[in-house]
Amino acid sequence: MTARSSTTSPWPDLPPGPLGTPSPELVRRLAEAPLEPTVMPSGDQVPMIVRYDDVRAVLTSPASSRNLRTPGLPRMVSGTSLEDDPSALINQDPPEHTRYRRIMQGTFTPRHIERWRPRAAAIADELIDAAGQEFDVVADFALPLPARVICEMLGVPMDRFEQFRGWTEMFLSTSEASAEARGAGFAAFMEYAGELIAEHRVRPGDDLIDLLIAARDEGDRLSEAELTHMVFTLIMAGHETTASIIIRGAFRLLCHPEQYAELAARPELLEPAVEEILRCEGPGGNGLLRVITEDVELPSGVIPKGSVVLPNPSGANHDPSAFDDALRFDIHRYAGKAANPHLAFGHGPHYCLGANLARMELQEAFRALVRRLPDLRAQEDLSTLRWTSDGLIHRPLRLPVKGG
């Protein structure tokens, strides 16, 4: 399918390709300019690292720091952002980060996550039942599915969902005009996360917040600030980023109806298909900034001490030196083959703690779609759909489909 792009993005020098495919500029950088500066939504410029081996090297280097709180450093977005919070796991370096991860390592194991799989599958079926044969994948399936799962896992009343979804959307906005609202949303969200923890201390149960409260390493527990931020992160990442991948994954499969049909006919391809969706459509946009504390030698060149750089996982996941025919979407890529691991969940010390949870939800979302709606097709020309244009997460605003 070929068509003009109907997408825009807040990255002025990385316009999306047709049908939400990687920017032609990103493709050029992979071939010719792997360390060239990029203009971020804030207007600041930093070198963007795009090749697979370079990105992995930066993400594992002990000289790659997430402490971006020094005044005057380049910013991803204007105003208050996640990078301002020293209690956030993603902003910590060793030894604090090592301690935090050690305490948390038993909470997100496959064993703990698997107990929620039947409920995630049931919610996916309930949503399809309620949607009928013609529905919007975005509003009727992709957004409510991970929201309901994370609400149940955290003991959050569903009547609060629209409120914290509004906070999340403000916080992920890249618009300068919303910087003040983003800060206010962050404060309100954190206050609510603190209230949830307090309620669980008074009335403990066996949901995910209770596991977080009980998590310890030889008597060492998370501080209140660390606990609060982890709950905040789970609510934000547990619905918005997962929903984005469901939306983008469904969109990509509809761009390749022959692959959707094969997936419906061969359920054993489900897990490798989800890995290919993660590679091509993975969360996190263009990545997170790093400060380089010592000169770092990459395969593509040296990054001097003091530099702020942007390792781009999407670039790495589309690097032709790492993946055969890297721009091709192929649900067979990870089917019993020794393909390179994608970097959708990062790499190294900051590898996503919630990867097992995200994988489980994605598997159940697409399992339900292809099992219940094997003839799913788009109701509109996919090339004409509008995409989000002012957020760090880029996805179609709506995706009308027909199942019968």
Side-chain angles (χ1 to χ4, degrees):
M1 181 183 297
T2 59
R4 63 176 178 81
S5 172
S6 60
T7 66
T8 59
S9 108
W11 293 77
D13 57 356
L14 291 174
L19 295 162
T21 53
S23 172
E25 170 65 10
L26 187 60
V27 176
R28 181 193 69 80
R29 287 168 181 254
L30 281 163
E32 304 171 5
L35 306 178
E36 189 173 294
T38 188
V39 180
M40 297 182 293
S42 66
D44 293 334
Q45 295 189 38
V46 298
M48 177 180 278
I49 300 168
V50 296
R51 287 180 180 164
Y52 186 85
D53 289 342
D54 293 335
V55 171
R56 281 174 61 102
V58 170
L59 296 182
T60 55
S61 172
S64 173
S65 170
R66 275 289 300 159
N67 184 354
L68 294 151
R69 296 182 294 281
T70 302
L73 289 181
R75 310 282 295 182
M76 179 76 75
V77 297
S78 300
T80 302
S81 75
L82 181 63
E83 291 159 350
D84 295 308
D85 190 343
S87 296
L89 176 61
I90 202 168
N91 292 339
Q92 295 181 348
D93 297 325
E96 293 83 3
H97 179 266
T98 308
R99 167 190 164 270
Y100 202 152
R101 293 282 298 214
R102 191 171 57 238
I103 294 171
M104 296 293 299
Q105 64 186 0
T107 306
F108 295 95
T109 62
R111 179 177 65 85
H112 279 309
I113 298 305
E114 280 300 307
R115 61 187 281 234
W116 291 97
R117 186 182 291 274
R119 186 61 190 135
I123 292 171
D125 277 341
E126 289 170 14
L127 291 170
I128 290 175
D129 286 339
Q133 292 298 302
E134 298 185 14
F135 63 99
D136 175 11
V137 169
V138 176
D140 299 324
F141 185 75
L143 287 175
L145 173 57
R148 285 182 57 181
V149 170
I150 201 63
C151 281
E152 293 193 13
M153 291 183 74
L154 293 173
V156 176
M158 271 304 295
D159 61 7
R160 299 297 296 268
F161 166 60
E162 286 302 325
Q163 185 177 30
F164 69 63
R165 181 181 168 197
W167 288 333
T168 301
E169 288 177 349
M170 282 194 297
F171 195 62
L172 293 174
S173 170
T174 62
S175 169
E176 282 191 47
S178 66
E180 184 176 334
R182 193 164 55 242
F186 175 69
F189 209 153
M190 292 293 280
E191 181 180 356
Y192 180 56
E195 292 172 2
L196 278 174
I197 293 167
E199 290 173 7
H200 280 71
R201 289 195 188 281
V202 173
R203 291 181 288 275
D206 62 353
D207 60 30
L208 189 51
I209 291 183
D210 297 294
L211 289 176
L212 295 173
I213 292 172
R216 64 176 70 199
D217 178 66
E218 297 181 354
D220 185 16
R221 292 187 173 189
L222 299 177
S223 69
E224 279 305 297
E226 290 167 340
L227 260 175
T228 303
H229 199 283
M230 181 53 66
V231 172
F232 160 77
T233 301
L234 285 167
I235 291 174
M236 182 173 70
H239 78 275
E240 187 66 31
T241 56
T242 304
S244 168
I245 306 173
I246 296 172
I247 296 163
R248 291 188 57 125
F251 179 90
R252 193 63 53 211
L253 285 167
L254 291 171
C255 289
H256 299 273
E258 75 290 348
Q259 294 195 50
Y260 185 95
E262 185 176 8
L263 188 56
R266 298 181 58 194
E268 71 272 15
L269 287 174
L270 181 72
E271 290 187 14
V274 165
E275 296 308 307
E276 179 69 346
I277 288 168
L278 283 164
R279 183 188 75 87
C280 291
E281 314 295 331
N286 289 314
L288 296 171
L289 295 169
R290 300 289 182 117
V291 181
I292 304 303
T293 59
E294 299 290 341
D295 290 357
V296 172
E297 186 169 351
L298 304 178
S300 297
V302 174
I303 303 296
K305 176 182 178 179
S307 302
V308 175
V309 299
L310 183 63
N312 186 324
S314 179
N317 285 340
H318 291 89
D319 184 350
S321 71
F323 300 97
D324 292 337
D325 200 0
L327 295 179
R328 184 185 79 248
F329 176 78
D330 182 3
I331 61 173
H332 304 91
R333 187 181 300 273
Y334 288 98
K337 301 176 184 177
N340 278 328
H342 59 73
L343 303 183
F345 295 120
H347 184 64
H350 279 284
Y351 182 83
C352 178
L353 265 176
N356 290 323
L357 173 59
R359 279 193 169 97
M360 180 274 286
E361 290 187 84
L362 291 169
Q363 289 165 5
E364 295 311 314
F366 289 105
R367 192 190 317 276
L369 284 175
V370 299
R371 176 175 56 84
R372 298 289 305 280
L373 302 166
D375 300 318
L376 192 71
R377 58 191 182 277
Q379 287 196 30
E380 298 180 11
D381 184 341
L382 293 172
S383 69
T384 66
L385 296 180
R386 292 179 57 234
W387 289 52
T388 56
S389 60
D390 66 347
L392 295 176
I393 294 177
H394 191 51
R395 59 166 177 79
L397 289 167
R398 54 191 293 273
L399 182 53
V401 295
K402 186 173 184 177

